Amino acid sequence: MEKNRNLLSVRLATGVTLPYLAQGDANGTPLVLLHAWGESLGSFDRLTPLLRAGIRVFAPDQRGHGEADKPATGYALAQFTADVVAFLDELGLTRAVLLGSSSGGYVAQQVAIDHPERVAGLILVGSPRTLKGRPAFAAEVEKLTDPIDLGWVRATLGWFPLVGDVPEWFVDDRVVDGVRMPARVWIEALRGLYSAEPPTEIGTITAPTLILWAAADGLLSEVDERALAAAIPASRLIVYENTGHLVLWERPDRVAADVTDFLLTLR
């Protein structure tokens, strides 16, 4: 049950065309939402209606995902990062707050390292400190061929067990996200993440940062998240109890409240 959205589209200097959602106060704080690997801008469907006044939201599909262009190559972390900066350029945004969900937060961290002058703040939602090293499920991903099987995508949700209730329609939409990705994007985008040097190991993030981590996250440990917080001097870590890795899926209401409060501190 995907939402009917009035999406805009932009051709980036990096050569890809991205659809994006723009909503909220035209004069509000610019907030760019970066979805996770395997998802789309639709993963923010339950968050954006809850964001309060004074925020201008932009949510693009990243290359290879959703309705964005799906080039044959170009899925290194550096290329996802370049797309974000080019997106800011095209929208005329000198600076913006970046919110990254899961691996989208990895991209956001790299933008903050490479282009600190463009990042007014970071919000990392279930975001890793490091993805270095080939994950166990990479072997399964690397066997993928087109067309992507819907049942396989649904089964991959077991890699990130849910603790709280998530509406069935929302889960179904995320399965559709996965089916829309060609096999090469599944493979190369994952490889681009785990082969990259962790952003906080090659530089220091100076932007004010809010880190939202779930206590029942079976993927990211408390040790790792506290190490992430320690690596970012101007950061605050908030722990969500009774929540799994997919924080944005399970707790959009609390994420919206914490995001709004954080943005108020930047004014």
Side-chain angles (χ1 to χ4, degrees):
M1 191 191 80
E2 292 195 311
K3 286 179 59 175
N4 291 321
R5 310 182 191 90
N6 294 318
L7 298 183
L8 302 172
S9 181
V10 62
R11 177 76 172 177
L12 303 183
T14 53
V16 296
T17 297
L18 306 184
Y20 68 96
L21 173 73
Q23 71 174 50
D25 186 348
N27 297 313
T29 301
L31 175 64
V32 176
L33 310 179
L34 301 175
H35 63 75
W37 169 69
E39 297 185 9
S40 76
L41 63 84
S43 63
F44 298 105
D45 281 349
R46 299 178 66 219
L47 175 68
T48 52
L50 302 176
L51 295 173
R52 301 172 199 165
I55 303 173
R56 180 63 168 169
V57 174
F58 301 95
D61 277 336
Q62 296 183 68
R63 66 166 61 210
H65 296 68
E67 297 298 327
D69 280 354
K70 298 171 176 61
T73 60
Y75 297 100
L77 179 61
Q79 289 158 317
F80 283 104
T81 300
D83 284 350
V84 175
V85 176
F87 183 72
L88 298 178
D89 289 343
E90 290 296 328
L91 270 58
L93 299 175
T94 304
R95 300 177 81 224
V97 178
L98 305 183
L99 182 155
S101 173
S102 191
S103 61
Y106 212 54
V107 176
Q109 291 174 52
Q110 192 64 56
V111 176
I113 292 290
D114 292 345
H115 302 276
E117 75 285 357
R118 308 301 297 271
V119 180
L122 278 184
I123 304 167
L124 306 176
V125 184
S127 175
R129 179 187 65 84
T130 177
L131 289 173
K132 188 71 172 176
R134 187 170 176 267
F137 54 76
E140 184 174 342
V141 172
E142 288 167 2
K143 295 176 183 177
L144 287 175
T145 58
D146 295 316
I148 299 299
D149 179 68
L150 184 148
W152 178 84
V153 177
R154 191 173 294 278
T156 66
L157 300 182
W159 298 345
F160 316 106
L162 296 171
V163 176
D165 293 331
V166 178
E168 185 176 349
W169 67 264
F170 183 85
V171 175
D172 288 345
D173 283 358
R174 303 292 69 77
V175 172
V176 172
D177 285 344
V179 171
R180 290 191 295 182
M181 285 173 58
R184 69 175 188 279
V185 177
W186 275 100
I187 296 166
E188 294 302 325
L190 178 60
R191 184 175 294 139
L193 291 167
Y194 72 69
S195 63
E197 293 300 319
T200 57
E201 293 185 10
I202 61 175
T204 300
I205 293 172
T206 57
T209 301
L210 177 65
I211 302 171
L212 306 180
W213 173 73
D217 190 326
L219 182 67
L220 308 177
S221 72
E222 182 174 0
V223 170
D224 283 344
E225 290 304 287
R226 294 201 180 279
L228 176 62
I232 304 175
S235 67
R236 179 190 178 200
L237 172 64
I238 297 178
V239 177
Y240 286 22
E241 300 294 339
N242 301 313
T243 306
H245 174 67
L246 299 174
V247 178
L248 186 67
W249 295 29
E250 295 188 32
R251 302 297 298 277
D253 50 348
R254 185 170 176 189
V255 172
D258 286 335
V259 166
T260 303
D261 290 345
F262 175 70
L263 294 182
L264 288 174
T265 70
L266 303 180
R267 295 179 181 175

